[in-house]
Amino acid sequence: MKPDRYAVVGNPIGHSLSPSIHALFAAQTNQAMVYEARLGRPGHFAEDVRDWFRNGLHGLNVTVPFKEEAFRLADHRTARAQRAGAVNTLWAEADGTLTGDNTDGAGFLRDLSARMGLDPANRKILILGAGGATRGLLEPLLHAAPARLVIANRTPERALELVASFAGLAGATHLEASGLDTIPDGPYDLLINATAAGLGKDALNLPPGLLAATGLAYDLVYGPASRPFLDWARQQGAARVSDGLGMLVEQAAESFAAWRGIRPDTGPVLREIRQTLEAP
Ligand code: NAP
């Protein structure tokens, strides 16, 4: 029997770790499937994706810059994709229609709680950035009931928009927006960098005193690009720091579970992918 076919689409896509992650999941769970990287063509995303599914693709992961287009393309969306306004996982239903899901937020929360042991309940959280990634994190974070959640963005209006659209989910959480130069005083228990890749402390120019002595600094970016922010956080006395590789593996596991109905054990896969990433 032919293996089921899956892929990730993005542009650029050459350095994607998703094919390696899914190959390890498939081997671990004995799934007959192949998973490859495909370069997306700006302006042709929808037609290409429909074509791939017509030709037998079972499922697709979507990465930068196509997550919003994938959202528009999907015929049905899960509630969390609807809330995030972006889709990173697609699959075909029996009638050929496409369902879109967003596994980023769930992947982040799982990495945070299961690997880093941090329960957001009653914590003070600061998110830097108000783009698509932050939008995906807000529902699961608010669901975990932090005491305070501040979204600080270079363009404060975008942070304000997010606060307005998620206010209904805030419950007892004090949810607020700010600019990067007007961040309300810390200290915060969790500081998340969800700005675009490769930003150093000079680009963000953050004030001192943001991190609690027991605080965790988490950069959604992984590998060398996360170093400037995590180095800055260490200098600020962060008790723990993490890049976003665990989130990447966890969001992939969420997609895999949606497609295959089986949840892989992410720990060994994360260790192996980390070794690959750090190999000279
Ligand atoms: P996005 O929608 O393009 O948003 C980018 C954000 O970065 C905006 O808030 C933007 O602020 C801010 N920004 C850009 N340049 C800046 C600068 N020079 N100074 C200060 N702020 C700046 O991107 P995204 O989809 O949210 O992704 C954010 C990051 O998360 C990306 O690096 C992405 O690779 C990463 N990510 C990782 C995972 C994972 O699994 N580990 C998953 C999803 C995303 P303005 O609004 O002012 O432009």
Side-chain angles (χ1 to χ4, degrees):
M1 212 171 75
K2 274 182 146 183
D4 294 342
R5 287 194 291 132
Y6 295 86
V8 57
V9 61
N11 190 329
I13 199 64
H15 295 291
S16 173
L17 295 171
S18 294
S20 308
I21 295 170
H22 282 277
L24 290 168
F25 288 165
Q28 186 197 75
T29 56
N30 290 317
Q31 299 294 298
M33 58 183 278
V34 289
Y35 185 111
E36 64 184 21
R38 296 185 182 182
L39 183 66
R41 296 189 300 157
H44 298 273
F45 177 79
E47 92 191 64
D48 285 352
V49 169
R50 291 249 178 234
D51 209 37
W52 296 342
F53 275 102
R54 265 195 301 273
N55 284 298
L57 192 71
H58 281 72
L60 184 68
N61 281 136
V62 181
T63 186
V64 179
F66 298 117
K67 289 183 191 182
E68 283 80 13
E69 273 190 82
F71 178 86
R72 290 193 291 274
L73 169 72
D75 302 298
H76 327 274
R77 302 170 194 112
T78 61
R80 61 190 182 182
Q82 193 66 38
R83 181 71 73 176
V87 155
N88 75 339
T89 306
L90 285 163
W91 61 84
E93 302 294 348
D95 63 0
T97 57
L98 297 180
T99 296
D101 191 10
N102 190 312
T103 65
D104 281 338
F108 171 76
L109 257 287
R110 188 175 279 264
D111 192 45
L112 190 69
S113 52
R115 188 174 62 89
M116 302 303 293
L118 193 146
D119 177 357
N122 300 317
R123 307 291 187 129
K124 292 181 184 160
I125 302 175
L126 171 61
I127 306 182
L128 307 171
T134 297
R135 180 173 273 278
L137 300 189
L138 285 176
E139 181 173 16
L141 269 179
L142 288 170
H143 188 68
R148 183 183 199 188
L149 204 167
V150 177
I151 304 167
N153 197 43
R154 178 178 61 178
T155 313
E157 292 75 21
R158 292 187 76 194
L160 280 164
E161 277 169 33
L162 282 185
V163 166
S165 48
F166 283 84
L169 296 182
T173 302
H174 187 63
L175 177 63
E176 57 192 308
S178 81
L180 286 177
D181 49 356
T182 54
I183 298 174
D185 283 348
Y188 295 89
D189 304 303
L190 173 61
L191 174 48
I192 303 166
N193 183 17
T195 58
L199 290 176
K201 66 178 186 332
D202 297 335
L204 288 172
N205 200 16
L206 298 169
L210 289 179
L211 267 158
T214 54
L216 166 63
Y218 192 110
D219 198 333
L220 262 48
V221 170
Y222 50 83
S226 66
R227 251 175 234 146
F229 174 73
L230 297 183
D231 285 348
W232 169 86
R234 280 190 198 93
Q235 284 159 18
Q236 292 292 310
R240 292 183 301 160
V241 302
S242 176
D243 74 356
L245 194 64
M247 172 181 174
L248 184 77
V249 171
E250 293 297 346
Q251 61 79 28
E254 284 274 323
S255 299
F256 191 91
W259 292 329
R260 307 299 298 184
I262 183 165
R263 179 168 284 281
D265 179 6
T266 50
V269 173
L270 175 57
R271 282 194 288 280
E272 195 160 338
I273 294 293
R274 174 74 69 196
Q275 273 173 10
T276 313
L277 192 67
E278 287 173 0

